[in-house]
Amino acid sequence: MSPDIPDLPEVADPTTARTVASSRLPRGPGKVVEAIPASLRGLYPPIEPFESGMLDVGNGHRIYWERCGNPKGKPAVFLHGGPGGGCSSEHRRLFDPAKYCITLFDQRGCGRSLPHASLDYNTTWDLVDDIEALRTKFGYARWLVFGGSWGSTLALAYAQAHVDRVSELIVRGIFTVRREEVHWYYQKGASWLFPDRWEKFLAPIPLEERGDLMRAYQKRLTHRDEAVRVEAARAWSMWEGSTITLLPDDQLADAFGDPHYAIAFARIENHYFVHDGFLKPNQLIGGAHVLRDVPGVIVQGRYDIATPARTAWDLHKAWPEADFYWAPDAGHAFSEPTILHWLIESTDRFGAD
């Protein structure tokens, strides 16, 4: 594949970004590993934030943030999935709390951020600006950026726009909002693997509107009738919750069906996907060359249905300097044991630098 490489967004000067990146020591090809380790690493023990707050980012949005771990530790920022998923207490536990100062935040419109489920002034580049606002607030020159699923999209967008602010980059369950990726999961492909669950996803949509499920769902997720919005949101959200692990996890699927969670999750996801992630075609794979001097890790479940492995492999080809870890017994969720192992190994490795 030899795509035209689009310009980076106006939020960064790509010439400056490349100059800073190229000043680092050259990196050779990363390793590619596909294995199930004999002894699997797990999450660090539960921790509570040492501080938290709300940041006014303008246009009516206030985002919840928290910092955990060692206040004098290595700076890291965690970018959650969705878009619209919000952070959980488990995300704090992906880092050694003695070595890292971990920043987590709920992206616009979800989790504890306000206004809840808002689609106004809610784009990829608004979120990139929010990450920079947090970095500036805490006075970090650079920080490790960690993102999974949609968080990998946002991590790549941020890193390509602000490569001089990224010390290391860890991405998992790679998703770049290319039309074929979204079409696979929300129009046809994945339905062949989960026909029974797909029927539940289709249920709110009349037969005559099923030729464009993105638009059909958009109409219902923005409907004036709350009952219509909730029905569509729960169907959308539970489709994802029931298909992101290799083995069924009913508890996870039920959590995705909580109406308060589902409304933000489904509305914001659909909003981004209808607008192609507010990205140019192939922007994040095409722009990955600016990352070649950033120490990085890609982790991908071999049997990931939500974000199939093709995208992770495309990123690997565009950014071969990053280490690539296949989890051969996993789907999409970060909590699946082999995925989790490689993530913890990666944060430990960079925490020792």
Side-chain angles (χ1 to χ4, degrees), residues 177-348:
V177 206
R178 294 181 295 187
R179 183 59 60 87
E180 58 267 31
E181 296 173 48
V182 176
H183 201 259
W184 156 265
Y185 198 45
Y186 294 103
Q187 188 62 45
K188 52 176 186 179
S191 66
W192 286 77
L193 299 172
F194 297 100
D196 50 341
R197 298 170 197 175
W198 183 251
E199 283 187 5
K200 296 178 181 178
F201 178 70
L202 291 178
I205 311 300
L207 184 62
E208 63 271 17
E209 294 184 52
R210 293 180 182 177
D212 188 344
L213 290 168
M214 287 283 109
R215 295 290 179 183
Y217 261 100
Q218 181 187 40
K219 183 164 67 174
R220 286 156 182 81
L221 291 167
T222 57
H223 199 278
R224 66 178 65 186
D225 186 333
E226 182 181 8
V228 173
R229 295 197 303 271
V230 170
E231 180 192 23
R234 293 189 75 250
W236 176 288
S237 187
M238 291 182 73
W239 161 246
E240 182 158 335
S242 66
T243 57
I244 60 173
T245 53
L246 182 61
L247 299 178
D249 185 338
D250 292 338
Q251 186 175 358
L252 180 63
D254 289 344
F256 271 71
D258 173 77
H260 182 78
Y261 176 87
I263 281 288
F265 185 79
R267 274 171 57 88
I268 296 172
E269 274 202 341
N270 177 269
H271 167 69
Y272 273 73
F273 299 165
V274 164
H275 292 95
D276 299 317
F278 303 94
L279 297 162
K280 298 175 183 176
N282 207 47
Q283 180 168 351
L284 298 181
I285 301 297
H289 62 283
V290 305
L291 306 174
R292 61 172 48 104
D293 297 318
V294 176
V297 170
I298 301 166
V299 178
Q300 179 68 34
R302 173 66 79 177
Y303 300 106
D304 188 334
I305 299 302
T307 61
R310 170 61 186 271
T311 301
W313 192 248
D314 288 346
L315 179 61
H316 162 68
K317 301 296 283 187
W319 183 30
E321 295 82 8
D323 291 337
F324 189 112
Y325 293 97
W326 290 106
D329 60 344
H332 180 70
F334 85 93
S335 56
E336 292 179 89
T338 304
I339 291 178
L340 181 58
H341 172 87
W342 293 125
L343 294 176
I344 299 292
E345 286 284 298
S346 299
T347 58
D348 274 7

